Amino acid sequence: MTQAKELFDADTVAKARELMARYPQSRSALLPMLHLVQSVQGFVSQEGVTFCAQQLGLSEAEVSAVVTFYTMYKRKPCGEHLVSVCTNTLCAALGGDAIYRTLQEHLGEDGKPLGHEETAGTPGEPGSITLEHAECLAACDLAPVLQVNYEYYDKQTPDSAVELVDALRRGEKPQPSRGAPLGDFKSAELQLAGFFPEDEQTYRAQVDGPSQAPETLMGARIAQERGWTAPVMADDVPLPEVEKK
């Protein structure tokens, strides 16, 4: 209990209480509260589990069950940047597997490729990178894709991915293909917890960015050009009969 108090200061406790107040039942705040913990530590430690359990009146087993179910909650300290390479079917077929293998070798040391959720550099330090292969990142029309701290970098190749991680290691923050300007992993976690700057200009600078791509809108554009519309559902269409057993 003492360790948890030392790790999470009064500001973090206040944010945790604010999260709890957003829900009719306080336990519903567990998911954003775990992101809040990661914004402080860069992962969810046992102390983080204890902190959430104490705030929400849950057992540590209940909190641990959630932490170990969702892949966005990390059990080992993350680097300044989390690089997620989509290796699901379409991205893999178009080069995602090759990108992931290339980054493993490029970020590894002494001839040993970097493993899933392993970190190149000292976790949390500037330029450190945690690499993971991810399931579908919901951008099949722009495959192969990867994310850095959950921001998209579309139409990647092994060479462009190496250039990207090298820029991150130099302290640069290349503009994502879509979405908000790139921050670091802990900052992204604070936003996922639901906390943003109160100043409107700062807020807009952190979150504004293009969210769509021509490829995503192509079907809608073609339909509009050709006057295609979805058929109107009739109100009096009978439901099919269920076969009696």
Side-chain angles (χ1 to χ4, degrees):
M1 185 180 296
T2 302
Q3 286 181 310
K5 287 183 178 179
E6 291 174 352
L7 284 168
F8 304 105
D9 59 15
D11 179 63
T12 307
V13 173
K15 284 184 169 66
R17 299 292 170 83
E18 183 178 335
L19 288 174
M20 293 164 61
R22 295 177 184 178
Y23 298 90
Q25 296 187 29
S26 62
R27 65 183 295 147
S28 299
L30 176 57
L31 298 184
M33 195 176 293
L34 288 168
H35 285 297
L36 176 64
V37 165
Q38 289 198 142
S39 77
V40 176
Q41 292 189 285
F43 74 119
V44 180
S45 66
Q46 187 55 45
E47 290 78 17
V49 170
T50 300
F51 173 79
C52 291
Q54 291 173 347
Q55 296 298 316
L56 298 170
L58 299 173
S59 69
E60 293 187 12
E62 288 174 302
V63 176
S64 295
V66 173
V67 173
T68 55
F69 182 83
Y70 293 105
T71 59
M72 288 181 76
Y73 302 125
K74 307 305 182 186
R75 299 314 309 273
K76 296 187 296 184
C78 273
E80 180 187 20
H81 300 293
L82 173 66
V83 175
S84 312
V85 181
C86 184
T87 55
N88 213 324
T89 308
L90 189 56
C91 275
L94 294 176
D97 284 346
I99 291 171
Y100 182 65
R101 286 194 301 269
T102 298
L103 291 183
Q104 282 187 296
E105 294 169 3
H106 184 68
L107 295 171
E109 293 184 352
D110 302 323
K112 181 182 178 183
L114 194 69
H116 173 63
E117 291 192 343
E118 291 184 354
T119 301
T122 302
E125 293 296 316
S128 56
I129 292 176
T130 299
L131 179 67
E132 68 175 359
H133 60 80
E135 286 303 312
C136 183
L137 295 180
C140 298
D141 48 347
L142 298 161
V145 300
L146 61 80
Q147 290 180 336
V148 180
N149 308 327
Y150 307 115
E151 299 295 346
Y152 282 98
Y153 292 82
D154 303 322
K155 298 180 179 178
Q156 291 294 298
T157 66
D159 289 342
S160 67
V162 167
E163 291 175 6
L164 175 59
V165 298
D166 284 348
L168 296 173
R169 297 174 94 177
R170 293 193 298 266
E172 301 171 16
K173 293 182 178 178
Q175 181 65 30
S177 303
R178 297 171 286 126
L182 184 66
D184 57 29
F185 177 70
K186 288 183 178 180
S187 297
E189 286 299 306
L190 187 60
Q191 292 182 0
L192 288 170
F195 294 98
F196 298 89
E198 293 184 3
D199 175 70
E200 181 71 13
Q201 186 173 358
T202 305
Y203 169 75
R204 291 298 174 190
Q206 289 189 9
V207 304
D208 274 358
S211 60
Q212 59 194 25
E215 293 84 352
T216 307
L217 300 176
M218 186 176 296
R221 180 179 59 79
I222 292 173
Q224 185 178 30
E225 289 173 353
R226 302 185 181 182
W228 295 344
T229 58
V232 178
M233 289 291 291
D235 295 332
D236 58 350
V237 176
L239 296 174
E241 291 186 8
V242 178
E243 183 180 349
K244 295 180 181 180
K245 295 183 179 179

